[in-house]
Amino acid sequence: MKTLYASIAAAVALSCALPAYAAPIPYSQPGTESTIQYNFTAAATGDVVAYFAGSNAANTNEIALLVNGVDTGRRGLNNHSSTYGAMLNFGMVNAGDSLVFKLVNVDLGSNVGPFYSDLTLNSDGRNHIYAANYGGDAFIPAGIAVGFEDLPNGGDFDYNDENFVFVNVANAAEVPEPASIALLLAGVAGIGASRRTKRARKA
């Protein structure tokens, strides 16, 4: 019995000693393709740094970066060998530079992907990322958390096959799908019509 208590005490002590960290921001609508078209830019002149934030993918993948449409030639953070918080410095960029993240499948090579944060570059025309602001933790600083789908046609759309946090990155635009834009315009038109009706009644 003493051995059992000692084992439990040791397990509790070990779990308390292990560092705690927040999970990347989860996608709120798993199974549904994200309708946001992301447009990332460099937030300031300086280095863009990627941090590995976890993976549940069977495929072996690495992350790369295009700056103003040109691949930096740096690729890494292999999801089967990187530890949480491991970093990859993509080097210097200028404030406002266009940034596109590129997920490369190492196992299947050119047969799958690559998949980009700019959905217009994806051969299947699907959105392979979800992104959100990330507040940081003990291992990864605050930045933009990006979750990838690494399978053709978007896989299961839970956007957690590969997770990274990128620092010195701004989300310059979130472009909703055309139906959302139409709904927004209809709402604005409705507000305008309501105001005109109220003015006419006062007159």
Side-chain angles (χ1 to χ4, degrees), residues 90-168:
F90 284 113
M92 175 77 77
V93 295
N94 295 310
D97 280 351
S98 170
L99 306 176
V100 174
F101 305 115
K102 174 183 175 183
L103 191 72
V104 179
N105 187 308
V106 176
D107 293 334
L108 303 178
S110 60
N111 293 326
V112 174
F115 299 118
Y116 299 88
S117 58
D118 179 350
L119 69 84
T120 65
L121 299 177
N122 293 329
S123 58
D124 59 8
R126 308 309 290 264
N127 194 349
H128 281 261
I129 73 153
Y130 158 71
N133 291 328
Y134 185 65
D137 58 35
F139 298 90
I140 298 177
I144 301 285
V146 178
F148 277 87
E149 281 296 333
D150 73 339
L151 295 175
N153 297 310
D156 56 7
F157 292 121
D158 59 5
Y159 297 101
N160 68 357
D161 290 347
E162 306 296 339
N163 293 284
F164 304 94
V165 173
F166 299 97
V167 175
N168 191 25

Side-chain angles (χ1 to χ4, degrees), residues 5-68:
Y5 286 136
S7 298
I8 292 171
V12 169
L14 179 61
S15 66
C16 291
L18 291 174
Y21 53 81
I25 309 297
Y27 181 56
S28 63
Q29 297 176 304
T32 304
E33 183 176 4
S34 172
T35 59
I36 298 173
Q37 184 171 326
Y38 296 95
N39 180 10
F40 299 109
T41 60
T45 297
D47 292 348
V48 169
V49 181
Y51 291 84
F52 181 73
S55 168
N56 71 357
N59 289 324
T60 304
N61 300 292
E62 293 181 345
I63 193 70
L65 175 68
L66 279 63
V67 179
N68 296 325

Side-chain angles (χ1 to χ4, degrees), residues 73-84:
R74 298 178 187 181
R75 193 177 93 183
L77 297 181
N78 183 300
N79 61 304
H80 289 160
S81 59
S82 297
T83 57
Y84 184 89

